[in-house]
């Protein structure tokens, strides 16, 4: 029978009555979406504000309106204040403050009496800084560069969401004593985590991979984890295990509640005893954002029945959302925040559905549950537990795919398999590892617990390795680079790399940081396999990245074009890179006196790569091309225009800020302003696609 409109009203009214904080939370979420995505979400915010008033809860409409106003004002004020900070690259800064956090050779610095943080880069600084200590620092500002190509990490947005206003290349630091209270708490938290990590590693070598997995899983400490191990977990869809989050907090809470139940302690008292232990665990693991989020949600979830409130999952989610936004208004923009809430909602909702359904292994429905045999009760529990695990894993995987694609442009094909297979090992590792740490004062307990956990970690590693090696386990949303395509990648400020075809010829390795943040991420995102490495420059910024590339691809052939350039490399019958010999060295006017010149011919199209060569020495070569790629080019205004016109080129791409005159009718492109450029060579022409606006131009 069809439902009438009158019958739909009580459903909404019951929802708002049972979860009154859901509508204010959804109204706040709509404001975040309106500011970041589309102004149409303001309409959704108005709807969520008015719904409680329509269904007899005007007080919740008032609360929702206040929260929406608060969010809008805070975000607008923050954006205005953040953009008003002068962060001109090269400007000299000096300040006194405390070190809040550290990662490698980077430190989060909080200047005294400031609402902002600075990111200190100490790559060339000899002495490490200490968390919890106060320093007077001096250095030059550098800018957080947004992504210039596919697969790159967005450092600009990362800094924006963490209130990091400046990046500083540290030149001088003077120790001034102990830091502020917050930094000292962070330092103490880190020291406790190091002590706990040392207990879990006791009796094992530093390079024991299973112990690294144990420490990362239980404490979220990936300091000593090998990059190869992290990549395995990433490709299998299980990297979230290495961040202390809802899974670890929920396992610990369930473990403690189960222990107190065995001791016949009343549930309300058991809950009150559990919460301090969970808080201590989050503190010991470093108070990471994901752990703090999980802590707030589990506290609300556990306290609801103790405070005699009906435990509505949606109401708890709404309250947790509001509290976290009040603590940090920028949190909802973080991918981890969004994934935590969506997956927690799925985990909380699915068991409710499971419990209402009759399990597959349940005895006859006419038999009262109280007379079930032991094996019937066991089969019932196994059926419900297995069903909940499978359905929760599949639901969480499906609902997380759009978010991971939106934020990371990638997704894991077998993440659901990892979730199902690793749930039991992770749970057991948490039990035995935490038991070993807590009872480490009892002789013999810690070695036994560590041995068991190590075996379980070995099982995890084998499972993860198997899943990571399955076909297409980790999917990027970018298409693979084709045989007739090329990428021109900028490395700021004056360097670049070129990837020709796939398998690719790599021209110029760039610096070590360029490899880490630019070249390798793009190669992964576009599924590019390097076939040759050619160096055309002699400076450190041209060659430093070669070591990183050779380490990742040991069999990669290497050519030094400044000394002995390859005469020709044929990738396919219609795809060839040829070195253009010059009668004498063509001066560049900058670092090196000779700039190798290459011609890439593919499907009848010619791409001339002149590097840093001065145009006054090029006319004698009588070169022709459809496209010219120019490096750090000294100005020869007359020669430039005449020579480009003589080549017959229809377009020019400048890889650095140094440009030159271009003849009328010839299009010019800049890596500096438009980021990575994709070239597609076909028999009918060359398509040029800049990254900045993804507009395609055909030459």
């Amino acid at each position: 029978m069809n439902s009438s409109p009158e019958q739909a009203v009580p459903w909404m009214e019951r929802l708002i009555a049972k979860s009154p904080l859901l509508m204010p939370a959804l109204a706040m979420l709509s404001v975040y979406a309106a500011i970041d995505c589309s102004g149409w979400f303001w309409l959704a915010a108005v709807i969520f504000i008015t719904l409680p008033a329509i269904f007899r809860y005007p007080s919740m409409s008032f609360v929702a309106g206040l929260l929406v106003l608060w969010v809008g004002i805070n975000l607008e004020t923050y954006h205005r204040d953040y953009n008003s900070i002068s962060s001109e690259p090269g400007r000299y800064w000096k300040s006194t403050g405390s070190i809040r956090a550290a990662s490698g050779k980077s430190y989060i610095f909080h200047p005294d009496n400031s609402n902002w943080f600075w990111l200190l880069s100490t790559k060339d600084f000899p002495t490490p800084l200490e968390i919890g200590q106060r320093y007077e620092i001096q250095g030059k500002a550098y800018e957080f560069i947004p992504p210039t190509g596919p697969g790159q990490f967005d450092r600009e947005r990362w800094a924006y969401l963490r209130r990091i206003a400046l990046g500083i290349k540290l030149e001088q630091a003077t120790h001034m004593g102990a830091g502020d209270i917050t930094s000292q708490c962070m330092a103490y938290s880190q020291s406790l985590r190091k002590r706990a990590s040392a207990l879990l590693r006791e009796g094992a070598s530093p390079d024991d991979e299973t112990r690294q997995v144990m420490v990362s899983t239980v404490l979220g400490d990936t300091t000593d984890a090998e990059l190869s191990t992290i990549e395995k977990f990433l490709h299998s869809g299980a990297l979230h295990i290495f961040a202390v989050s809802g899974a670890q907090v929920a396992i610990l809470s369930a473990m403690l509640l189960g222990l107190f139940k065995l001791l016949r302690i009343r549930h309300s008292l058991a809950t009150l005893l559990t919460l301090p232990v969970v808080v201590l665990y989050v503190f010991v693991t470093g108070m990471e954002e994901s752990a703090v989020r999980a802590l707030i949600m589990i506290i609300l979830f556990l306290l609801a029945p103790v405070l005699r409130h009906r435990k509505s999952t949606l109401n708890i989610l709404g309250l947790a959302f509001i509290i976290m936004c009040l603590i940090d208004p920028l949190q909802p923009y973080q991918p981890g925040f969004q994934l935590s809430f969506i997956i927690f909602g799925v985990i909380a909702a699915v068991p409710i559905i499971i419990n209402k359904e009759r399990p597959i292994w349940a005895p006859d429905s006419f038999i009262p549950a109280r007379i079930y045999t032991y094996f019937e009760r066991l089969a019932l529990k196994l059926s419900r537990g297995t069903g909940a695990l499978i359905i929760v894993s599949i639901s969480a995987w499906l609902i997380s795919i759009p978010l991971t694609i939106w934020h990371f442009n990638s997704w894991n094909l077998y993440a659901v398999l990892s979730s199902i297979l690793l749930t039991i090992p992770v749970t057991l590792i948490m039990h035995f590892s935490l038991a070993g740490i807590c009872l480490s004062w009892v002789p013999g307990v810690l070695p036994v617990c560590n041995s068991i956990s190590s075996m379980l970690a070995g099982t995890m590693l084998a499972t993860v390795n198997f899943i990571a090696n399955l076909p297409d386990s980790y999917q990027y949303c970018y298409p693979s680079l084709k045989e007739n395509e090329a990428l021109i990648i900028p490395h700021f400020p004056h360097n670049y790399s070129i990837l020709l075809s796939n398998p690719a010829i790599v021209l110029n390795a760039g610096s070590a940081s360029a490899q880490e943040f630019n070249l390798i991420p793009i190669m992964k995102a576009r599924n590019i396999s390097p076939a040759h490495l050619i160096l055309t420059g002699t400076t450190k910024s041209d060659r430093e990245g070669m070591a990183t590339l050779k380490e990742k691809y040991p069999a990669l052939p290497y050519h030094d074009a400044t000394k002995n350039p390859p005469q020709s490399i044929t990738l396919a019958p219609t795809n060839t890179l040829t070195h253009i010999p010059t009668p004498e060295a063509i001066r560049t006017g900058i670092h090196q006196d000779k700039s190798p010149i290459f011609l890439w011919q593919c499907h009848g199209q010619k791409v001339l790569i002149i590097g840093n060569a001065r145009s006054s020495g090029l006319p004698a070569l009588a070169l022709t091309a459809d496209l010219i790629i120019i490096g750090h080019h000294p100005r020869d205004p007359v020669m430039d225009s005449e020579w480009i016109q003589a080549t017959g080129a229809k377009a020019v791409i400048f890889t650095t800020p140094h440009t030159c005159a271009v003849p009328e009718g010839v299009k010019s492109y800049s890596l500096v302003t438009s980021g990575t450029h994709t070239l597609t060579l076909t028999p009918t022409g060359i398509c040029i696609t800049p990254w900045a606006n993804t507009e395609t131009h055909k030459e």
Side-chain angles (χ1 to χ4, degrees):
M1 188 171 69
N2 295 329
S3 299
S4 64
E6 290 77 11
Q7 289 176 309
V9 172
W11 173 83
M12 179 61 71
E13 192 171 330
R14 287 196 303 271
L15 175 65
I16 295 176
K18 189 176 181 181
S19 309
L21 293 173
L22 177 62
M23 294 302 158
L26 290 175
M28 293 175 71
L29 181 62
S30 300
V31 175
Y32 282 104
I35 292 174
D36 198 50
C37 299
S38 170
W40 285 102
F41 283 100
W42 284 110
L43 179 60
V46 172
I47 293 173
F48 289 129
I49 290 173
T50 55
L51 276 177
I54 295 173
F55 295 103
R56 303 182 185 180
Y57 282 87
S59 59
M60 286 297 104
S61 288
F62 179 71
V63 171
L66 287 179
L67 290 172
V68 163
L69 186 63
W70 180 85
V71 169
I73 293 174
N74 265 273
L75 292 179
E76 182 61 31
T77 303
Y78 175 80
H79 185 72
R80 184 184 65 247
D81 293 346
Y82 188 88
N83 289 330
S84 67
I85 298 172
S86 176
S87 57
E88 180 184 351
R91 180 179 173 183
Y92 202 76
W93 290 81
K94 178 180 179 181
S95 182
T96 302
S98 305
I99 302 295
R100 288 283 182 89
S103 177
K105 291 191 174 184
S106 297
Y107 297 86
I108 302 296
F109 175 78
H110 182 240
D112 294 340
N113 304 316
S114 173
N115 295 325
W116 309 103
F117 297 96
W118 295 0
L119 181 65
L120 305 183
S121 174
T122 61
K123 181 180 178 182
D124 300 320
F125 194 74
T127 309
L129 307 182
E130 294 184 22
I131 302 175
Q133 298 300 304
R134 194 163 177 265
Y135 294 89
E136 181 183 76
I137 65 102
Q138 299 179 42
K140 292 182 180 179
Y142 66 90
E143 62 179 328
F144 298 110
I145 300 172
T148 58
Q152 292 180 350
F153 178 64
D154 193 343
R155 286 173 284 177
E156 184 181 53
R157 185 166 178 82
W158 176 86
Y160 177 85
L161 294 180
R162 285 159 181 79
R163 301 180 182 274
I164 299 175
L166 290 173
I168 301 292
K169 293 182 179 179
L170 190 63
E171 295 182 358
Q172 184 176 342
T174 305
H175 186 233
M176 305 289 287
D180 57 32
I181 296 298
T182 304
S183 65
Q184 290 186 57
C185 287
M186 295 300 297
Y188 186 57
S189 170
Q190 294 292 328
S191 67
L192 290 177
R193 183 160 79 167
K194 287 181 181 179
R195 289 167 61 182
S197 298
L199 290 174
L200 293 181
R201 291 190 180 95
E202 190 172 288
S205 61
D207 58 349
D208 189 331
E209 193 175 11
T210 58
R211 294 299 177 97
Q212 294 171 4
V213 170
M214 281 172 53
V215 173
S216 300
T217 301
V218 178
L219 302 174
D221 184 3
T222 58
T223 305
D224 297 326
E226 297 289 340
L227 181 60
S228 59
T229 303
I230 294 175
E231 285 189 348
K232 290 176 189 174
F233 277 80
L234 172 65
H235 291 165
S236 66
L239 188 60
H240 62 278
I241 292 173
F242 283 2
V244 175
S245 57
Q248 286 88 337
V249 172
I251 290 171
L252 176 60
S253 302
M255 182 175 70
L256 292 171
L257 290 173
L259 176 62
F260 292 139
K261 186 176 181 179
L262 289 175
L263 297 176
R264 299 186 179 277
I265 296 176
R266 203 175 37 176
H267 182 73
S268 57
L269 179 58
T271 299
L272 296 177
L273 293 174
T274 296
L275 292 179
V277 180
V278 176
V279 171
L280 177 62
Y281 171 72
V282 170
F283 182 78
V284 170
T285 55
M287 295 188 294
E288 301 290 343
E289 290 177 347
S290 57
V292 173
R293 284 196 297 266
L295 175 64
I296 293 174
M297 296 173 79
I298 206 71
I299 287 175
L300 295 174
F301 194 78
L302 293 178
L303 281 183
V306 175
L307 299 176
R308 308 288 190 220
H309 285 280
R310 287 180 298 174
K311 189 166 59 176
S312 166
T313 301
L314 293 177
N315 203 45
I316 291 172
L317 284 173
L319 179 58
F321 182 89
I322 293 170
I323 290 174
M324 292 181 194
C325 290
L326 293 174
I327 294 173
D328 181 4
L330 297 175
Q331 277 211 47
Y333 287 134
Q334 297 183 17
F337 181 94
Q338 298 169 18
L339 289 167
S340 295
F341 267 86
I342 289 178
I343 293 175
F344 183 85
V346 170
I347 292 173
V350 169
I352 297 174
I353 299 172
I354 291 290
N355 290 335
K356 291 182 179 180
E357 298 293 329
R358 184 172 180 270
I360 299 174
W361 298 335
D364 194 292
S365 57
F366 293 101
I367 300 176
R370 64 178 179 275
I371 64 172
Y372 285 177
T373 66
Y374 170 79
F375 291 105
E376 287 173 336
R377 287 196 298 272
L378 179 61
L380 184 63
K381 289 181 179 179
L382 286 174
S383 176
R384 282 180 171 163
T386 304
L389 173 61
I390 294 174
I391 294 177
V392 164
S393 299
I394 294 175
S395 302
W397 172 62
L398 290 175
I399 205 167
S400 67
I401 287 176
L403 277 178
T404 55
I405 290 176
W406 174 264
H407 289 291
F408 308 114
N409 288 294
S410 62
W411 62 289
N412 296 91
L413 183 59
Y414 308 111
V416 62
L417 185 61
S418 298
S419 179
I420 293 171
L421 296 179
L422 296 181
T423 296
I424 293 177
V426 169
T427 303
L428 294 176
I429 287 175
M430 285 286 295
H431 279 69
F432 285 105
S433 297
L434 292 176
I437 291 173
C438 295
L439 300 175
S440 59
W441 53 275
V442 179
V445 172
L446 182 62
V448 171
C449 289
N450 281 349
S451 297
I452 297 173
S453 296
S454 183
M455 288 189 292
L456 291 167
T459 303
M460 279 181 61
L461 271 173
T463 303
V464 164
N465 192 51
F466 168 74
I467 296 174
N469 288 324
L470 289 175
D472 302 321
S473 62
Y474 190 70
Q475 297 279 338
Y476 280 101
C477 297
Y478 301 105
S480 298
L481 192 72
K482 297 178 181 177
E483 175 266 340
N484 63 324
E485 293 182 331
L487 293 178
I488 312 171
I489 305 165
H491 305 318
F492 291 97
H494 301 299
N495 299 94
Y496 63 96
S497 291
I498 302 177
L499 302 176
L500 303 175
S501 192
N502 192 16
I505 299 174
V506 182
L507 265 68
N508 299 328
S511 64
S513 60
Q515 281 286 324
E516 181 180 358
F517 297 112
N518 292 355
L519 189 59
I520 289 180
I522 289 178
M523 290 173 66
K524 289 180 178 179
R526 296 298 303 269
N527 193 27
I528 299 171
S529 302
H532 297 271
L533 171 61
I534 301 176
L535 300 182
T536 64
T538 58
T539 64
K540 178 181 177 182
S541 57
D542 292 319
R543 293 171 169 262
E544 188 182 40
M546 181 181 68
T548 305
L549 204 60
K550 290 287 288 182
E551 181 180 351
K552 189 168 183 62
Y553 304 98
L556 182 64
Y558 150 68
H559 310 274
D560 188 345
T562 62
K563 298 178 181 178
N564 186 25
Q567 297 307 306
S568 179
I569 297 177
T570 301
L571 298 173
T574 59
N575 191 342
T576 305
L577 179 71
T578 306
H579 173 251
I580 305 297
T582 57
E584 59 183 28
I586 298 178
R587 298 189 62 83
T588 66
I590 52 170
H591 301 296
Q592 65 270 20
D593 289 334
K594 185 176 182 180
S595 183
I597 300 172
F598 289 94
L599 179 66
W600 180 41
Q601 299 181 80
C602 183
H603 294 284
Q605 305 300 319
K606 295 181 179 181
V607 177
L608 186 61
I609 306 167
I610 68 168
N612 301 331
R614 185 185 289 271
S615 57
S616 58
L618 293 171
L621 301 178
L623 300 172
T624 60
D626 299 289
L627 170 67
I628 303 174
I629 300 175
I630 300 177
H632 190 130
H633 194 74
R635 286 182 172 274
D636 277 328
V638 177
M639 282 289 188
D640 288 335
S641 183
E642 291 180 354
W643 175 76
I644 292 173
Q645 191 169 26
T647 64
K650 302 179 182 66
V652 173
I653 297 178
F654 296 104
T655 59
T656 72
H658 300 268
T659 62
C660 66
V662 174
E664 185 177 351
V666 176
K667 292 183 178 180
S668 65
Y669 303 87
S670 171
L671 297 193
V672 176
T673 58
S674 301
T676 297
H677 283 52
T678 302
L679 310 181
T680 304
L681 280 62
T682 63
T684 58
I686 302 176
C687 292
I688 303 173
T689 307
W691 165 259
N693 50 20
T694 64
E695 295 176 356
T696 300
H697 306 276
K698 190 170 183 179
E699 307 302 342

